Amino acid sequence: MDRQRIFRAAATAAALTVIAGCGSGTPDEGGAAAGGAALAVVATTPEVADFVRNVGGADVAVTQIIKPNVDPHDYEPTPADLQAIASAKVVVKSGVGLEEWLDRTIESAGFRGAVVDSSRGVTLREGHEDEGAAGGHEGEDHDPHIWHDPRNAKIMVANIEAGLAAAEPGKAAAFQANLARYTAELDRLDADNEAAFARLPKDARKLVTNHDAFGYYVQRYGLEFVGSVIPSLDTSAELSGKQLTDLVAKIKATGAKAVFAESSLPPKTAEALARQAGVEVVAGEDALFGDSLGEPGTPEGTYLGAERHNTQVIVTALAG
């Protein structure tokens, strides 16, 4: 079944569910009518959902669409997603084209609330289109993985705070206080990351990952990006035989010490690449969080925890 038919089937099922529930409302909606419930917010990705929880605190009820370790690039919305969006007052997205499915989902859900694009105002890295990649998206204009630079995360949470305050003006002071606290934590994360890489010799700062998700991180902390198993900003491309051979040669020539797998992608190709290059593969519990966060309730289940994990794992492996 093609993607359009899958989506139409999901939309139809969701519409029936929403219609069946009309009149009773969700708990969030019922409380809002009485003036006492938390603001109902749908957030697309784990990172954005964590930002909303930190800025909104107890005054928001967050429905997170994409669960941990699910690839956001080719996500297919479910009937439950449409129902959640139909019941929400605010939808928050990461932006920069990461959620290609969102506009049509919002339209199918009949959503009439506010959509907050958390990427607004972020200086974007240019994307690329690798002509040798099979299955890559044409016309990749900008890198959507903006959150890997904590300075961008500060812009994202400021956008979220503005969106929540506009939707719930009576809670604006609380949102502003939460933003100030969380912004200080982002500053601390950025300073700690800088200090960690300052202890690593410059000629050791070479990164090989599963896919090209760490461009903003590489740029922020002065790393050298050697290459990726998937030669694309999204995860649908494949490495050709020649590209694989070339990447192995580049790893050897640059002296890169490891290939880093990612939590939301299968590690097999990264493991094979590392074997051919004769370097360590970093996978399993040490896999990087490129497109996702860890499981809820773990330190890595938060943006701050996942980014600290990434830095600790990268610095430890590259220090050798």
Side-chain angles (χ1 to χ4, degrees):
M1 183 181 293
D2 62 32
R3 292 180 63 177
Q4 289 298 324
R5 284 193 291 160
I6 292 172
F7 180 79
R8 284 197 297 270
T12 300
L16 292 173
T17 304
V18 172
I19 291 169
C22 286
S24 59
T26 65
D28 285 333
E29 289 176 323
L39 179 68
V41 181
V42 166
T44 54
T45 67
E47 295 84 5
V48 167
D50 189 54
F51 292 158
V52 174
R53 293 185 190 104
N54 276 280
V55 174
D59 294 312
V60 299
V62 183
T63 299
Q64 178 180 317
I65 296 292
I66 300 176
K67 301 303 184 276
N69 295 321
V70 173
D71 183 356
H73 293 281
D74 292 311
Y75 183 75
E76 290 289 351
T78 68
D81 296 336
L82 274 84
Q83 186 172 8
I85 289 171
S87 302
K89 304 300 182 186
V90 179
V91 171
V92 181
K93 66 179 181 178
S94 187
V96 202
L98 184 66
E99 305 99 331
E100 294 182 354
W101 47 271
L102 183 60
D103 287 346
R104 68 179 186 268
T105 306
I106 285 174
E107 182 179 357
S108 295
F111 177 72
R112 294 293 182 268
V115 178
V116 176
D117 182 350
S118 66
S119 70
R120 188 178 180 88
V122 171
T123 300
L124 302 178
R125 291 180 65 247
E126 291 299 316
H128 62 83
E129 180 64 25
D130 192 324
E131 293 180 357
H137 291 179
E138 289 188 8
E140 288 182 344
D141 293 324
H142 296 103
D143 182 351
H145 305 91
I146 56 177
W147 59 90
H148 286 303
D149 183 338
R151 298 173 304 181
N152 292 342
K154 288 171 62 176
I155 296 172
M156 296 172 78
V157 294
N159 287 330
I160 290 168
E161 186 275 332
L164 297 182
E168 195 74 86
K171 302 295 177 62
F175 297 148
Q176 183 62 45
N178 292 341
L179 174 66
R181 172 194 55 77
Y182 192 65
T183 297
E185 294 187 43
L186 293 173
D187 285 335
R188 190 175 307 115
L189 169 69
D190 193 29
D192 289 346
N193 285 351
E194 275 198 299
F197 282 109
R199 295 190 291 269
L200 189 67
K202 287 187 177 181
D203 62 0
R205 301 175 193 174
K206 297 178 171 67
L207 193 65
V208 184
T209 58
N210 241 357
H211 88 295
D212 191 1
F214 289 90
Y216 294 96
Y217 186 93
V218 165
Q219 190 175 61
R220 175 68 185 102
Y221 301 115
L223 309 184
E224 177 185 345
F225 183 64
V226 176
S228 57
V229 176
I230 299 172
S232 177
L233 295 172
D234 70 22
T235 56
S236 62
E238 296 178 0
L239 205 63
S240 68
K242 182 181 184 303
Q243 287 173 313
L244 181 60
T245 300
D246 290 347
L247 182 54
V248 168
K250 191 173 182 181
I251 291 170
K252 292 179 177 179
T254 59
K257 294 181 179 178
V259 175
F260 295 90
E262 296 174 39
S263 65
S264 57
L265 295 171
K268 289 185 178 180
T269 308
E271 291 167 348
L273 178 69
R275 282 195 300 270
Q276 290 188 46
V279 299
E280 175 188 6
V281 62
V282 180
E285 292 184 356
D286 289 334
L288 302 183
F289 295 99
D291 280 333
S292 188
L293 301 181
E295 293 297 325
T298 67
E300 296 79 15
T302 69
Y303 168 80
L304 294 170
E307 293 295 314
R308 291 187 186 281
H309 165 93
N310 287 347
T311 296
Q312 180 181 4
V313 166
I314 291 170
V315 170
T316 299
L318 297 187

